Amino acid sequence: MSIATRFVADATVSPWTGFVARRIGRLVVSLWVLVTASFLMIHLIPGDPVRAALGSSAPGALVEARRDALGLNDPLWLQYAHYLQGLFSGNLGTSMTSDLPVAQVIGDRFPATFEMAGLAFLLAVLIAVPVGALMGVLTRGGRRRPTELAFTSTSIVVAAIPEFLLAVGLVYLFAIQLGWFPVAGRSDANSYVLPVVSMALGSAAMLSRIVRVEMLSVLGTDYIRTARAKRLPNWMIYFRHALPNALTATLTIGGLMLSAMVAGTVLVENVFAWPGLGSTIVASILAKDYPVVQGVVLVYGIGVLLVNLLVDIALGMLDPRSTIKES
Amino acid sequence: MAARWLAALKTPAGAVSAAMLFLVLAMAVIAPILWTGQAEEINTRAILQGPSPEHLIGTDSLGRDLFFRLLVATGLSVKLALAATGIGVTAGLVLGVVPSLLSRRIGRLVTAFVNIAVAFPGLLLAMFFAVIFGVGQTGAVLAIGLATAPSFARLTQNLVATQSERDYIAAAKLAGVGKVQRLLRHILPNIAEPLVVTATIGAGGSLLAFAGLSFLGLGVQPPAYDWGRLLNEGLNDIYVNPLAALAPGLAVVIAGLAFNLVGEAVAETLGTPMPVSGRGAAPQRVPQASTAKPYTAAEPSTDGADSKAVLTVRDLFVSFPGPAGPITPVRGVSFSLARGEAVGVVGESGSGKTQTALALAQLVEHPGNVSASRLEFLGQDQLSSPSRARRQLLGTSFAMVFQDPMKSFNPTMRIGVQLAEVAQRHLGMNRRQALARAADRLRAVRIPAAERRLRQYPHEFSGGMRQRAMIGMGIMGNPDLIVADEPTTALDVTVQQQVLRLLSSIKEENHVAILLISHDLTLVAQVCERVLVMYAGRIVEDLPASDLAGRGMHPYTQALLAAVPDMETDRDRPLAVVPGRPADPSQVPVGCAFASRCPKADDQCTREDPQLVEREDGHRVACWHPSRGTGRERVSVELKLHAVALQGEAS
Amino acid sequence: MSELRFEQVSVRFGGRHGMTAVDGVDLTVPTGQVVGLVGESGSGKSTLARAAAGLTPLTGGQILFNGQPLRPKRGERRPLQMVFQDPHSSLNPRMSIGESIAEGIPRAGRGGAAGRRSEVQRLLGLVGLDPQRAFSYPGQMSGGQLQRVALARALAGQPEVIIADEITSALDVSVQGTVLNLVRDLQRELNLSMLFISHNLAVVRYVADAIAVMYLGRIVEQGPAEQILSDPQHPYTKDLLAAVPSHRSPSLTPVNADPAVQAVNDAEPTDPHHLPSGCRYHLRCPIGPLVLPGRDICREVDPASDGNRQAAACHFVGELLTSGKAGIL
């Protein structure tokens, strides 16, 4: 296989072109699935979504008028065509409760969610990579059993606490008891601390475990033995030879985690009454405001797909083998 | 399977988590039966009270006792989580197994679908389904169940695919076992364990997810209540009675953790190989003390020439802690290597040859333990010199070549950088000089287009080229010794010859000593002047390579030669057979380790371990009955040698 | 009669950027004979074996057993069986040895649980294992013992042809001999036809009546074992033979004085995904166009084998030119 890959690399077109083309192809298919699923969502709901939204006491004429306005009386394929057309022109429909365009609702709410998720991810990585790498080095080859036990059990417990429960605990302790941070809302920098920390802590614990395990497995490889046989100093072995390889492996899982974080905002936003997409989608589901739900699901989905794309590209750049391995 | 789960529960973490899980499950069954009355009793005189001896964590807005509500909620919380997990596991299993049963095209389609679905986080999928199935208990169960299905499906697919590639599946196919039977009889039993572990951890995840949905108001609806619902209600009153919110949160965490930890504990036990049960004819364990006797044989004659020696080692032991006492793969190895000399180390797997090489290179990792009475490299005492000085000397003068050239280069670094860092580190060169040296070394190992190759990654090299680059890396300094551990085993025969030729021309041109480790006697004989034959952690014979054919004195050496066919082997006669199997380094017997497989073994052999004694000039043997050939005509020589051996012992 | 014949067999993997692992192979395994198949890794020998066993679909040609394509129906006797390289992977770790062997016994001949049990015991005895071993699990046995079990399972199908794919290369050297002896005895005793695949020419020499040499998906030379070994025609066969070390004359082939020959000797293996034009061996051939001037035909024309018993797919068969240019000038 290795001989083969060598020649693929030498072949006429750069492997990157093929890799990027394949990757974009996959993104397009995933997007299509996502868009179709969000379109179908409203049609899969048993019964009449408009009737459900307006309540059983609403007059039949109003329901009918609303159905017409939403185009629900058209044949399915036509609705699908309209939906796609709307998407391409940035029209996501109109909220059934506020009568605002869905695109505007999303535009208003998006920054708050994006900031929270982004900061939380950054914090998680900044904690997890150094801690995980250090733990990997300290506990390599079965050294320092007590340290390993302490780290593993702490990280398992912290990782097992879901963000919204941690949020509740932090609110109680730091907002209600100590009064250091506001209980809820999004205002100054101080108001970011608790939401971001409660989002980041569990992920940091999980990610640091992954970094440690990857670090351990890299430290056990033959090429680390080669580096030791070259009598390189330890810091070079850990930083130059081990860490980049450990992070490459971590990235795959880290990417999944980042997209899980995007979704995790939903719960935490509700604890902190954070004016983001998460609180919007929950309120809309409860109010049966389906166009908004559709739009937010779409935005979350696209966010997840973009994160995955970025991770794959980063992997391709970090690991010279990965672009070719796929084919 | 059951045995391994039990083993997992015997570890401290496993026992604690199993107890936790048992408690949670027991509470889920018992609490609704016993305390539903108390939990749902409305008391308008005790609305929104704080904790008191009467109401341990207070009351809610209808004056109901929160403590009992918390206990009773265990039932619904666990029930719903298990139901969702059941749905998820079933759907995932079906989706995971289907690709292997249906036509290739449909299978591909299912796989692609799962791959897309798995990219979306569970919570997002759960909300999507919650919209479709409607807000409420049933909707949430379906939503969480279906949301966990993709990841479970993916795991199943991967596990099925790995098992399907194994040869026993091919063999079953050849035996006429049908697709469904193959799946049921062969594949599923072999992937059941990781699936059950994942499902257990998944149940914990479902529990948390359910709490989340209920907390958002999308799950359990009043008047029913689970922990998430209690949390939702408690959060409104967090200023009045914080415990109303914190207690259900804690309950969720504990229950989630219980599932999680049991899964983790079992997964950990599964990751470690199961000890082979003692049924069958396992050799008896021998107390360590008798095998690890210090080496006290007569010093070999090469001692006098030590000033010329590149490497001298005496009484080398390597041991690792094992489940039942230390395992000692190297038990007292002593030899010297002269300048420019090529010595081969031959032995089967488990003979300790690789551990010997690693110990000499001082690369045995924790928890391995290396000891020797003497270890000198180029006159430097490796047992007492400061590590800085040793590093410097070893870095420039001691080169290692490993078995698998693919795995022995860092896959994410360019070949040039990996070579250059040796010169930068130890020869004080700057980056440019070091790269120039690297190019020069690649040319020295006859790699064409050296400059271009420097910029390539290891995977862009073929196996043979990679091994040459590895040798090139070894000669970045001016080594006095190259230790090559099975350098050609991973290569094709024609390429093997190229690499061996290269090693021996480097030896000739640069007067480098070579220690060549291999399982292949004939290959070693091609390059080396002297051969050390190892068995069960000891050198059993040390002889000139030219003596290998027909002049080996140890029965093991003779047997090895006779058992392996070469191009002159008589095709009409059966190959010589060495009965039994190679000694297990964790169970080395008393006496001669080869005795149980040796045709000449007698009482003495099983009682006493023979020492490595010089029989002729430059020919050492560790055997009570050494002889050339196998015929009876050798008996007199044998007796004479025997007498010599006894004398050697006495003196 | 139990003859296995490959006719223009091709196997291709992957789509547009795939590779042809086996390319138009003609090969006959005559009744009761052992045909040894040698070649380096990536030459396609294992793919050919799996194709014969029906584990890999053909993209061209056909494989005939006694002149008929092999398509056994459910429950029927399976006249072709295979033994794999890694005995640890070729037995289900969760089935006892006895169950694994019993699975291979054709349904028609099973004769109930008792009959099956006695057949398993007979087979274990046949491969030199204690019949009590039927209750052991693979994890409790050594590599050599497992390979015997794998043989017993193959024999359970009452085969007439056995395909042995590198069956000794995962074993310790001191154990290989016993397995080779067993294979030889059983083959003779049961008059089996056998395709014996190995990268080790010395092992093949010991068991095979005829030898076929494979290079990059093609059989470049085949014929009676003695003839191939004593008088090889194809330069690749010669190189292979020269590379086999021997106890008796343990010296490396010397570095060739001719730099062109040496360059060819040190050349990298040819990439099976990008086959060169003309003869597939010409980039590594010591008598090819890179060494000898005027041999452009090797670059341009593919020397397809002409199908004779000892045919060598080389334009310059029979010219003794391994020593270098001197011969032709």
Side-chain angles (χ1 to χ4, degrees):
Chain A
M1 213 57 236
S2 55
I3 319 163
T5 52
R6 187 188 70 241
F7 278 84
V8 171
D10 285 350
T12 47
V13 284
S14 144
W16 264 101
T17 326
F19 166 68
V20 170
R22 260 198 314 277
R23 196 56 195 75
I24 288 178
R26 208 199 299 164
L27 179 71
V28 169
V29 174
S30 303
L31 268 179
W32 173 76
V33 170
L34 175 68
V35 166
T36 309
S38 77
F39 166 76
L40 285 177
M41 181 165 72
I42 214 166
H43 297 275
L44 288 172
I45 299 167
D48 182 354
V50 176
R51 167 64 70 188
L54 295 179
S56 50
S57 58
L62 181 63
V63 171
E64 220 21 60
R66 187 56 72 85
R67 281 189 65 89
D68 252 357
L70 287 170
L72 289 176
N73 292 330
D74 296 335
L76 202 60
W77 64 267
L78 191 64
Q79 291 185 43
Y80 189 49
H82 282 154
Y83 184 68
L84 291 182
Q85 200 184 6
L87 283 186
F88 278 111
S89 56
N91 175 13
L92 294 170
T94 310
S95 163
M96 283 156 80
T97 49
S98 68
D99 281 330
L100 288 169
V102 172
Q104 190 191 329
V105 174
I106 290 173
D108 287 347
R109 299 301 189 102
F110 177 75
T113 298
F114 181 76
E115 279 171 9
M116 186 160 93
L119 286 174
F121 181 71
L122 220 61
L123 183 62
V125 170
L126 286 180
I127 297 174
V129 171
V131 170
L134 183 71
M135 283 298 153
V137 168
L138 290 181
T139 61
R140 68 190 191 281
R143 289 173 175 84
R144 297 188 183 80
R145 290 277 180 203
T147 313
E148 186 194 339
L149 190 67
F151 170 75
T152 331
S153 38
T154 314
S155 58
I156 287 183
V157 170
V158 173
I161 304 176
E163 298 98 337
F164 71 101
L165 290 180
L166 191 65
V168 172
L170 291 181
V171 165
Y172 172 68
L173 195 62
F174 292 102
I176 296 177
Q177 288 292 314
L178 298 170
W180 293 355
F181 305 103
V183 174
R186 169 176 177 247
S187 48
D188 56 349
N190 236 3
S191 69
Y192 279 72
V193 173
L194 291 184
V196 168
V197 168
S198 52
M199 286 278 302
L201 221 51
S203 305
M206 199 192 296
L207 197 59
S208 64
R209 282 185 72 196
I210 296 166
V211 172
R212 173 179 162 266
V213 168
E214 293 299 339
M215 195 73 181
L216 284 181
S217 84
V218 168
L219 287 175
T221 57
D222 288 1
Y223 60 84
I224 292 299
R225 193 176 60 187
T226 309
R228 294 201 302 127
K230 287 195 268 184
R231 316 295 159 183
L232 298 177
N234 284 338
W235 66 266
M236 263 179 98
I237 294 177
Y238 300 141
F239 283 97
R240 262 174 74 127
H241 285 268
L243 196 56
N245 284 294
L247 289 187
T248 323
T250 308
L251 200 57
T252 327
I253 307 159
L256 277 179
M257 221 186 60
L258 178 56
S259 43
M261 231 178 210
V262 170
T265 55
V266 175
L267 286 154
V268 175
E269 282 184 12
N270 276 280
V271 175
F272 290 99
W274 194 258
L277 290 175
S279 40
T280 310
I281 193 175
V282 173
S284 306
I285 292 176
L286 289 173
K288 301 198 162 69
D289 188 352
Y290 295 116
V292 175
V293 175
Q294 263 184 331
V296 177
V297 162
L298 210 54
V299 170
Y300 270 123
I302 290 172
V304 166
L305 291 179
L306 284 181
V307 166
N308 288 341
L309 180 74
L310 287 178
V311 166
D312 278 3
I313 288 176
L315 266 180
M317 293 202 297
L318 282 176
D319 187 348
R321 292 161 303 174
S322 66
T323 47
I324 293 150
K325 219 174 1 185
E326 265 191 77
S327 55
Chain B
M1 181 155 164
R4 294 219 248 184
W5 284 73
L6 280 179
L9 297 184
K10 279 181 192 149
T11 63
V16 170
S17 54
M20 263 167 77
L21 186 60
F22 176 76
L23 217 72
V24 169
L25 293 177
M27 189 60 75
V29 176
I30 296 168
I33 300 172
L34 291 183
W35 299 306
T36 305
Q38 284 102 314
E40 289 171 7
E41 185 189 300
I42 295 171
N43 182 353
T44 42
R45 278 164 304 156
I47 286 168
L48 287 179
Q49 284 184 349
S52 65
E54 208 174 318
H55 303 290
L56 283 175
I57 55 172
T59 57
D60 69 359
S61 55
L62 291 175
R64 292 175 292 203
D65 183 275
L66 280 173
F67 181 67
F68 285 115
R69 287 180 77 73
L70 187 71
L71 293 184
V72 174
T74 314
L76 190 60
S77 300
V78 170
K79 194 176 85 188
L80 294 178
L82 291 182
T85 311
I87 291 174
V89 167
T90 313
L93 209 55
V94 170
L95 283 176
V97 157
V98 149
S100 66
L101 289 182
L102 300 180
S103 78
R104 197 169 282 236
R105 186 163 303 178
I106 299 178
R108 268 232 197 90
L109 212 66
V110 174
T111 313
F113 170 72
V114 167
N115 276 341
I116 289 176
V118 91
F120 296 101
L123 190 63
L124 200 58
L125 291 177
M127 284 200 304
F128 175 82
F129 288 121
V131 172
I132 294 173
F133 298 125
V135 168
Q137 203 166 297
T138 327
V141 168
L142 285 171
I144 292 175
L146 292 184
T148 49
S151 61
F152 203 77
R154 162 106 104 174
L155 176 73
T156 311
Q157 277 174 6
N158 288 345
L159 290 171
V160 169
T162 353
Q163 291 299 323
S164 302
E165 274 169 23
R166 301 197 59 179
D167 287 337
Y168 73 84
I169 297 298
K173 205 169 163 184
L174 278 177
V177 181
K179 255 185 192 177
V180 179
Q181 279 296 309
R182 284 206 296 275
L183 186 71
L184 294 180
R185 269 174 73 97
H186 290 277
I187 295 178
L188 283 183
N190 278 298
I191 64 172
E193 277 181 357
L195 287 183
V196 173
V197 168
T198 315
T200 311
I201 296 177
S206 298
L207 193 102
L208 299 183
F210 227 105
L213 280 191
S214 289
F215 167 72
L216 292 176
L218 304 178
V220 172
Q221 301 296 322
Y225 53 100
D226 68 343
W227 287 331
R229 189 77 226 164
L230 291 180
L231 186 72
N232 177 312
E233 291 163 4
L235 195 60
N236 298 328
D237 310 326
I238 192 166
Y239 285 101
V240 189
N241 176 14
L243 269 183
L246 296 180
L250 202 64
V252 172
V253 171
I254 289 174
L257 212 54
F259 281 105
N260 228 326
L261 287 179
V262 168
E264 297 269 359
V266 175
E268 187 133 319
T269 330
L270 297 187
T272 51
M274 176 144 105
V276 179
S277 61
R279 270 198 296 164
Q284 276 196 316
R285 170 157 292 285
V286 182
Q288 194 54 37
S290 67
T291 60
K293 215 164 34 179
Y295 185 85
T296 49
E299 295 284 288
S301 63
T302 38
D303 247 32
D306 261 6
S307 54
K308 277 188 285 173
V310 171
L311 181 85
T312 308
V313 60
R314 291 279 167 275
D315 310 329
L316 181 71
F317 283 82
V318 179
S319 65
F320 290 87
I327 297 164
T328 314
V330 181
R331 307 178 298 136
V333 161
S334 302
F335 68 95
S336 301
L337 202 57
R339 237 168 232 292
E341 188 186 22
V343 171
V345 179
V346 173
E348 295 178 89
S349 58
S351 63
K353 55 191 194 305
T354 294
Q355 287 303 327
T356 302
L358 289 177
L360 294 178
Q362 298 166 48
L363 290 174
V364 173
E365 271 268 39
H366 181 89
N369 183 30
V370 179
S371 71
S373 64
R374 196 168 156 204
L375 179 58
E376 274 178 31
F377 178 60
L378 294 175
Q380 189 186 52
D381 183 358
Q382 300 295 305
L383 299 174
S384 63
S385 300
S387 73
R388 211 186 153 77
R390 275 188 291 139
R391 229 169 231 280
Q392 182 63 31
L393 184 69
L394 292 170
T396 50
S397 311
F398 190 122
M400 274 304 280
V401 177
F402 296 105
Q403 171 167 357
D404 189 335
M406 181 73 228
K407 291 191 195 150
S408 298
F409 272 114
N410 189 331
T412 58
M413 275 167 90
R414 293 174 200 278
I415 291 283
V417 177
Q418 299 192 48
L419 263 70
E421 63 183 3
V422 181
Q424 279 174 285
R425 192 69 215 167
H426 299 297
L427 304 178
M429 291 186 181
N430 63 30
R431 193 183 155 80
R432 215 168 44 81
Q433 292 168 323
L435 280 172
R437 169 90 180 158
D440 176 66
R441 297 290 85 187
L442 285 192
R443 276 191 291 273
V445 294
R446 288 204 295 277
I447 292 181
E451 272 83 8
R452 186 172 62 87
R453 290 303 213 163
L454 284 181
R455 290 191 299 275
Q456 290 186 327
Y457 287 98
H459 73 268
E460 298 174 75
F461 279 55
S462 70
M465 283 296 158
R466 234 178 267 134
Q467 200 57 299
R468 286 188 208 189
M470 181 59 69
I471 295 171
M473 190 155 79
I475 57 172
M476 279 298 285
N478 287 309
D480 294 278
L481 172 63
I482 298 177
V483 174
D485 183 9
E486 302 266 10
T488 62
T489 308
L491 307 175
D492 280 316
V493 251
T494 48
V495 183
Q496 276 182 11
Q497 293 293 303
Q498 296 171 8
V499 169
L500 292 179
R501 222 184 287 131
L502 181 66
L503 273 176
S504 79
S505 70
I506 288 173
K507 170 192 165 246
E508 294 302 325
E509 284 159 27
N510 308 13
H511 208 57
V512 182
I514 289 182
L515 192 68
L516 178 65
I517 288 140
S518 175
H519 66 281
D520 189 339
L521 263 178
T522 45
L523 185 142
V524 160
Q526 285 186 293
V527 179
C528 300
E529 290 117 39
R530 197 148 65 89
V531 177
L532 308 174
V533 182
M534 280 191 76
Y535 190 81
R538 293 226 167 159
I539 298 177
V540 296
E541 186 157 13
D542 168 1
L543 73 170
S546 53
D547 278 6
L548 261 183
R551 291 175 60 83
M553 288 198 249
H554 197 284
Y556 179 62
T557 312
Q558 294 163 354
L560 261 190
L561 266 176
V564 181
D566 76 347
M567 298 308 278
E568 282 92 35
T569 305
D570 187 348
R571 293 193 47 190
D572 299 321
R573 297 232 311 256
L575 290 166
V577 163
V578 192
R581 56 162 117 173
D584 177 351
S586 67
Q587 296 171 320
V588 184
V590 205
C592 175
F594 188 61
S596 64
R597 305 173 75 187
C598 183
K600 295 185 192 166
D602 59 14
D603 279 358
Q604 187 182 21
C605 300
T606 50
R607 256 194 342 266
E608 286 175 74
D609 202 356
Q611 306 293 351
L612 189 61
V613 183
E614 182 151 13
R615 302 281 168 182
E616 287 169 15
D617 202 18
H619 193 150
R620 298 187 290 161
V621 188
C623 179
W624 294 121
H625 311 291
S627 68
R628 294 222 158 96
T630 44
R632 286 178 180 277
E633 67 278 11
R634 295 283 176 192
V635 168
S636 61
V637 180
E638 218 169 278
L639 285 174
K640 229 182 278 170
L641 288 173
H642 199 126
V644 173
L646 289 175
Q647 273 172 11
E649 189 91 334
S651 58
Chain C
M1 259 291 274
S2 52
E3 179 196 75
L4 186 70
R5 202 160 73 228
F6 297 80
E7 285 183 354
Q8 285 298 310
V9 168
S10 293
V11 178
R12 207 179 143 70
F13 291 123
R16 206 151 35 91
H17 300 292
M19 58 169 289
T20 306
V22 175
D23 189 4
V25 162
D26 285 312
L27 180 68
T28 304
V29 183
T31 308
Q33 295 242 336
V34 181
V35 173
L37 187 60
V38 290
E40 59 193 19
S41 57
S43 63
K45 51 191 196 306
S46 283
T47 307
L48 191 67
R50 295 182 76 87
L55 299 171
T56 302
L58 305 186
T59 35
Q62 51 182 350
I63 298 173
L64 302 174
F65 175 67
N66 292 335
Q68 296 292 318
L70 260 173
R71 271 190 215 90
K73 293 195 183 62
R74 192 171 277 237
E76 268 181 14
R77 198 170 63 86
R78 310 257 153 176
L80 186 144
Q81 288 293 332
M82 184 161 171
V83 182
F84 300 87
Q85 172 170 0
D86 180 3
H88 294 281
S89 154
S90 69
L91 289 160
N92 186 340
R94 291 187 190 278
M95 269 178 146
S96 73
I97 300 305
E99 286 174 288
S100 277
I101 295 174
E103 202 174 56
I105 302 171
R107 212 167 297 164
R110 274 181 191 175
R116 204 155 53 220
R117 213 173 307 125
S118 69
E119 175 68 0
V120 167
Q121 308 228 325
R122 186 186 73 84
L123 288 163
L124 282 173
L126 203 59
V127 296
L129 285 175
D130 179 0
Q132 284 308 307
R133 279 290 189 177
F135 305 105
S136 302
Y137 282 84
Q140 301 165 323
M141 299 176 84
S142 71
Q145 288 172 326
L146 289 179
Q147 207 57 307
R148 287 165 186 267
V149 174
L151 261 169
R153 178 184 51 195
L155 293 176
Q158 298 165 21
E160 290 164 50
V161 182
I162 286 201
I163 293 174
D165 186 10
E166 299 273 14
I167 56 170
T168 58
S169 44
L171 303 178
D172 258 313
V173 279
S174 66
V175 181
Q176 282 180 16
T178 60
V179 172
L180 281 179
N181 285 342
L182 176 67
V183 165
R184 248 168 59 126
D185 291 348
L186 287 172
Q187 186 267 331
R188 288 179 186 172
E189 211 170 294
L190 304 172
N191 196 31
L192 296 166
S193 313
M194 187 180 274
L195 183 64
F196 187 94
I197 295 162
S198 176
H199 67 281
N200 186 334
L201 206 52
V203 168
V204 166
R205 173 187 166 277
Y206 183 69
V207 294
D209 304 303
I211 293 178
V213 182
M214 212 165 166
Y215 184 75
L216 287 182
R218 291 270 179 82
I219 288 187
V220 294
E221 182 165 6
Q222 57 177 308
E226 265 137 64
Q227 209 174 322
I228 296 275
L229 296 169
S230 60
D231 184 21
Q233 298 298 307
H234 196 282
Y236 178 62
T237 317
K238 292 179 190 175
D239 286 354
L240 267 186
L241 276 167
V244 183
S246 155
H247 317 324
R248 268 148 273 238
S249 51
S251 61
L252 283 168
T253 45
V255 175
N256 200 297
D258 184 339
V261 176
Q262 192 48 47
V264 156
N265 278 347
D266 282 338
E268 281 196 67
T270 309
D271 174 22
H273 285 261
H274 295 83
L275 295 170
S277 62
C279 173
R280 290 175 184 193
Y281 195 56
H282 84 250
L283 294 171
R284 290 170 66 188
C285 184
I287 61 163
L290 296 182
V291 177
L292 298 169
R295 296 211 152 171
D296 293 334
I297 184 173
C298 303
R299 281 203 189 93
E300 289 148 12
V301 182
D302 191 355
S305 165
D306 57 9
N308 288 333
R309 282 301 288 147
Q310 176 165 2
C314 175
H315 293 296
F316 299 93
V317 168
E319 291 187 32
L320 294 168
L321 288 172
T322 25
S323 52
K325 287 174 186 173
I328 200 168
L329 294 176

